Amino acid sequence: MTEAVRETPKKERPEFRNIHVTDLMNYRLPMAGIVSILHRISGALMFLLLPFVLYLLQESLRSEYTFAHFMIIASHPIAKLVMLALCWGYTQHFCAGVRHLIMDTHVGLDKDSARKSATTVVVITAVVTVLVALKLFGVF
C-alpha cells in the first residue's frame, strides 16, 4: 500500500516569490490598480496642498489690495503648475471616487467592466486636465 502511494507522481507546487524593489519596473499593474493608486495619490496631494489653497482663498477675499496680491501670485508659472496639479488631483479623485461608489453597488465588478471603467476614469481625467491647462496657460 505504501509503495502505491510512493509511485504516484508528486505534483509540483507553485512557487510564489516576494517582489523585490528591483522587480517593480517589470511588474505590470492592471489599469484598475493604477486608478486605485492614483486615487490615493490625488487624495494625499489635495490634503498636502490644502494650506496653499486656504492661503490663496484668504488673499483673494480679504481686501482689494490682497486680491491684487493674489492675482500676482496666481499669474506665476509655478503657481499655475500647482493649481494644475490640484485640478488634476480633484478630477482624478472625483472620477475614481464615483467609480468606486458605483462598484460598491455591485455594478461592474467583472474583469472586463472594471478595466473599461478604469480606462474611462483615466481618459476623462486626462481630457479635463488638458482643457484646464490650456485655459490656465492662456491658449484659449
Side-chain angles (χ1 to χ4, degrees), residues 38 42 45 49 51 55 66 93 100 119:
L38 288 176
S42 62
L45 178 76
L49 291 178
Y55 172 72
T66 59
H93 203 73
H100 289 303
T119 305

Side-chain angles (χ1 to χ4, degrees), residues 50-138:
L50 187 62
F52 177 74
V53 171
L54 292 176
Y55 172 72
L56 289 181
L57 180 65
Q58 174 188 344
E59 288 295 305
S60 69
L61 295 177
R62 194 182 314 168
S63 69
E64 294 175 14
Y65 300 112
T66 59
F67 182 75
H69 186 249
F70 162 76
M71 292 303 291
I72 292 170
I73 293 172
S75 65
H76 196 274
I78 294 176
K80 287 183 179 182
L81 286 175
V82 171
M83 288 186 277
L84 182 62
L86 277 169
C87 288
W88 169 83
Y90 176 75
T91 306
Q92 170 67 34
H93 203 73
F94 179 80
C95 291
V98 169
R99 176 181 178 264
H100 289 303
L101 285 175
I102 291 172
M103 291 174 72
D104 283 344
T105 63
H106 302 287
V107 174
L109 293 179
D110 59 302
K111 189 185 262 187
D112 191 44
S113 297
R115 187 180 305 120
K116 286 179 183 177
S117 65
T119 305
T120 303
V121 166
V122 170
V123 167
I124 289 173
T125 301
V127 168
V128 170
T129 303
V130 166
L131 290 175
V132 168
L134 292 174
K135 182 67 176 173
L136 194 60
F137 289 102

